[in-house]
Amino acid sequence: MSAPTIRTGRTAADDDAVERARDAAGRESWAEAYALLHAHDRHPSRALTADDLSVLADAAWWSGHIDESVTARLRAHAAFLAAGDHRGAGLASWWLHFEYAGLGRPAAAAGWLHRARHHLQDLPPCPEQCFLAWTDAEEAEQHGDRAAALAAARRMTRLALRSGSPDLLALSRQAEAAVLLADGRRAQALALLDDAMCAVSAGELTGMFTGWLYCLALTQCMEAADLGRAVEWTNAAMEWCAPPWSGRPSADPARGPDAPGASAPLPLTVPSGENPFRGVCRAHRVQVLDLVGAWDLAEEEARLACREVPVDCLESAAAAYYAAGDVQRRQGRLDAAAVSYAHAHELGRIPQPGLALLRLAQGRADAAVAGVELALACQSDPRHDLLGRARLLAARTEVALAVRDVPGAAEAATALDALAGDVPLLRAMADTARGAVALASGETALPLLRRALAGWLELRVPYEAAQVRMLLAAACRAAGDEEAAGLELGAARAVFERLGAVPDSRRAAALLSGGKRRRLPGGLTAREAEVLRLVAAGGTNRDIAHALVISEHTVSRHLNNIFAKLGVGSRAAATAYAYAHDLV
């Protein structure tokens, strides 16, 4: 495979088709280059050079013909090797390692990485060794050896500077930023990332490296909970991806950095001639749209992302399915949310904490508790994905409060507070969780909740801001300020209605009217609702019978009816349902 601004291919001036293909590749008109080289290569007498085979591999990938890309890359490696060109053979080997890893063939990937090292590591410093250094940094990071990871990333930077390649230099900055972020050195990391993204936004990089850096930077921004950068770069990425796409000088195609380690069950493909990064960048856009409250657009973009992602980037489709599930859950479309979470799970993503919150909404409290606790326990390196862990802890707080486990909620909120530091998005989440715990404990909650609301409003995250207003309304009522409670409920209701968050909108409306004459959820009768409230308060059958002046047998009959109507099987699940539907 031809290296980006590293090597010059051998020419075949007498072959007009090949020359035109090279010209098309230079303009990154990949569909044109693929058609010309593919037709030329069908004639055995018209042998392609190693560099031309690399261009064919590039063009095949950009045009959505991934199997042909791998085949051409194998032939290019053989041709470089036959010519004694170890730099060319080493680079082709590294790309084969990367492609096979993306296609879910780890043994083949490991073999080609070994070959790449064999070809390149004993040579004098050369640009191709940047890719080995990048791999070394990622492998060291996976093994928790951050010192070795940082050393490898900085070795990559030295090689990139020596090469004079803007592509390799920007990628090395990103690689070092990734290690620093994982090590908690946020300011240094983001400064390096900003430097790399300047080259992207200025149009200084080739198409492959532009796509790579958008995908890598967006992933890092979301994991680091940097919503401002995520919004800015997501918009820029989608503008770059939008058809008709015209590229910059030729680069080595490779799989997107989001390639999963195993093949996925859904046959998603990229239409010929389109930008393969579009679906991956769109999946990031879905997550941003979800946060900023553009839910209808987020769901529409999620459907497009799942159709557009390449077959070796299906974890991006999983992320899109998951984000769609979150939107559907909050809109009260619980069956649709369950389907979306199931699709995300099929593609290899653990659909938490969304699935736990769905189970809570369905009244299945035991499943909600178990799901979020298992997800927290299974997170191998919490520092790698700050936002992911923060969301799990926030959900653990919510679920624990729903089942009256105030100590458990307090523990989760404290852990979230320690994680948040001074990151605005995480700080708003932590203040919300701590305020909810204080409210449930009968402690002073207003200062924490007002700070949480200010944080969400500054971030322009409307749904969470409205949820905090609901908590503020409860705190105001507890303090005897009905007017302030009404203002908060009215503001929350308006946001919920605009977003389409139907269950929350109904809950806010019910609280505004004092709950008078509202239809009870689940088809409950007024007496059954009274029994359920007492169950949620921790009352036994004897306690409830005494309070309502009825027999314990009648209480048991009411409970059987309640369990049947709500589709739950335990008092804990019924309690969770009561809290989720504001019956307590």
Side-chain angles (χ1 to χ4, degrees):
M1 178 175 196
S2 58
T5 66
I6 296 174
R7 303 179 58 81
T8 57
R10 293 181 292 272
T11 62
D14 58 332
D15 192 321
D16 182 61
V18 173
E19 284 297 330
R20 285 187 288 125
R22 290 171 180 165
D23 176 70
R27 293 180 280 106
E28 293 191 352
S29 179
W30 295 112
E32 179 186 352
Y34 170 76
L36 289 166
L37 288 176
H38 180 72
H40 182 90
D41 194 47
R42 294 176 63 184
H43 299 278
S45 62
R46 301 177 182 175
L48 292 172
T49 67
D51 286 314
D52 290 333
L53 286 167
S54 296
V55 174
L56 174 58
D58 297 354
W61 182 77
W62 282 97
S63 301
H65 306 285
I66 293 177
D67 290 341
E68 290 183 52
S69 173
V70 172
T71 300
R73 197 92 59 206
L74 289 167
R75 293 170 59 197
H77 172 267
F80 281 126
L81 193 59
D85 184 347
H86 284 279
R87 286 176 60 184
L91 188 59
S93 298
W94 187 88
W95 283 116
L96 283 165
H97 141 72
F98 198 56
E99 292 183 28
Y100 278 125
L103 291 171
R105 297 184 57 185
W112 283 105
L113 179 59
H114 178 77
R115 283 199 176 189
R117 295 189 194 283
H118 171 75
H119 287 303
L120 295 173
Q121 65 185 4
D122 293 330
L123 295 178
C126 60
E128 290 85 354
Q129 292 169 349
C130 282
F131 297 95
L132 288 182
W134 188 24
T135 303
D136 291 342
E138 291 188 332
E139 289 184 344
E141 179 63 35
Q142 289 168 5
H143 291 105
D145 189 348
R146 294 210 168 93
L150 189 58
R154 288 176 174 168
R155 183 170 72 253
M156 181 183 179
T157 299
R158 291 193 297 273
L159 289 164
L161 286 168
R162 184 187 182 104
S163 76
S165 166
D167 286 338
L168 293 176
L169 183 58
L171 190 62
S172 71
R173 300 285 193 222
Q174 182 280 325
E176 186 173 346
V179 177
L180 292 173
L181 270 177
D183 199 37
R185 296 153 72 175
R186 183 182 180 89
Q188 288 177 266
L190 292 176
L192 281 172
L193 199 55
D194 286 345
D195 181 88
M197 295 308 293
C198 279
V200 173
S201 59
E204 297 171 359
L205 307 186
T206 57
M208 170 52 58
F209 285 81
T210 296
W212 256 349
L213 283 163
Y214 271 132
C215 290
L216 291 165
L218 290 171
T219 298
Q220 288 171 345
C221 287
M222 291 304 294
E223 290 177 350
D226 193 325
L227 182 58
R229 283 180 172 83
V231 170
E232 181 179 347
W233 291 340
T234 298
N235 292 335
M238 289 310 300
E239 288 179 11
W240 174 75
C241 286
W245 185 77
S246 59
R248 288 159 286 280
S250 177
D252 281 346
R255 301 307 70 84
D258 298 291
S263 57
L266 299 183
L268 306 182
T269 59
V270 180
S272 176
E274 293 194 6
N275 186 335
F277 288 104
R278 186 182 309 154
V280 180
C281 290
R282 198 185 302 277
H284 289 299
R285 176 172 164 80
V286 171
Q287 299 174 59
V288 170
L289 290 171
D290 176 27
L291 273 172
V292 300
W295 287 358
D296 290 341
L297 182 56
E299 192 171 359
E300 178 184 342
E301 292 282 279
R303 286 194 294 269
L304 289 172
C306 293
R307 290 201 297 268
E308 291 175 350
V309 293
V311 294
D312 54 350
C313 299
L314 291 184
E315 80 283 9
S316 295
Y321 273 126
Y322 177 83
D326 277 353
V327 170
Q328 292 156 350
R329 169 177 56 80
R330 287 175 297 199
Q331 289 180 329
R333 298 155 56 199
L334 303 189
D335 290 342
V339 172
S340 293
Y341 290 143
H343 283 315
H345 185 263
E346 288 171 8
L347 292 171
R349 180 186 177 115
I350 298 175
Q352 296 291 4
L355 184 59
L357 297 174
L358 173 64
R359 297 302 179 226
L360 187 64
Q362 293 171 328
R364 298 173 57 184
D366 294 343
V369 172
V372 75
E373 287 187 346
L374 182 60
L376 279 167
C378 290
Q379 201 174 32
S380 57
D381 186 356
R383 290 177 298 179
H384 178 67
D385 183 1
L386 290 178
L387 182 57
R389 184 160 186 85
R391 282 172 162 165
L392 287 170
L393 289 169
R396 178 68 182 94
T397 304
E398 183 176 345
V399 169
L401 289 175
V403 298
R404 300 174 63 84
D405 178 13
V406 177
E411 181 182 357
T414 299
L416 178 53
D417 185 61
L419 183 73
D422 59 356
V423 181
L425 181 58
L426 302 187
R427 175 49 49 201
M429 296 173 72
D431 289 343
T432 302
R434 291 176 61 213
V437 171
L439 184 62
S441 304
E443 301 171 359
T444 302
L446 281 171
L448 279 169
L449 292 174
R450 293 202 185 283
R451 191 168 74 182
L453 178 60
W456 290 121
L457 291 175
E458 185 174 352
L459 289 164
R460 300 184 180 182
V461 178
Y463 179 75
E464 280 73 10
Q467 289 282 24
V468 172
R469 289 191 186 277
M470 298 290 285
L471 294 171
L472 273 170
C476 289
R477 277 187 170 168
D481 191 344
E482 286 292 335
E483 183 177 4
L487 289 172
E488 297 294 357
L489 288 171
R493 181 185 181 184
V495 172
F496 290 143
E497 288 179 346
R498 176 173 60 81
L499 294 174
V502 176
D504 293 297
S505 175
R506 289 175 177 168
R507 184 162 61 98
L511 289 171
L512 272 170
S513 65
K516 296 177 182 178
R517 296 184 300 278
R518 64 171 175 148
R519 172 181 285 181
L520 293 168
L524 296 174
T525 65
R527 174 61 86 179
E528 288 165 352
E530 286 183 297
V531 171
L532 181 54
R533 290 188 188 98
L534 292 169
V535 168
T540 65
N541 283 15
R542 177 176 295 180
D543 296 333
I544 297 169
H546 178 74
L548 298 180
V549 196
I550 57 178
S551 68
E552 290 187 47
H553 175 76
T554 301
V555 174
S556 296
R557 178 168 55 79
H558 283 312
L559 282 175
N560 287 335
N561 291 339
I562 291 168
F563 288 175
K565 288 181 178 181
L566 304 186
V568 300
S570 68
R571 298 172 84 95
T575 296
Y577 185 96
Y579 274 89
H581 293 80
D582 198 50
L583 291 171
V584 180

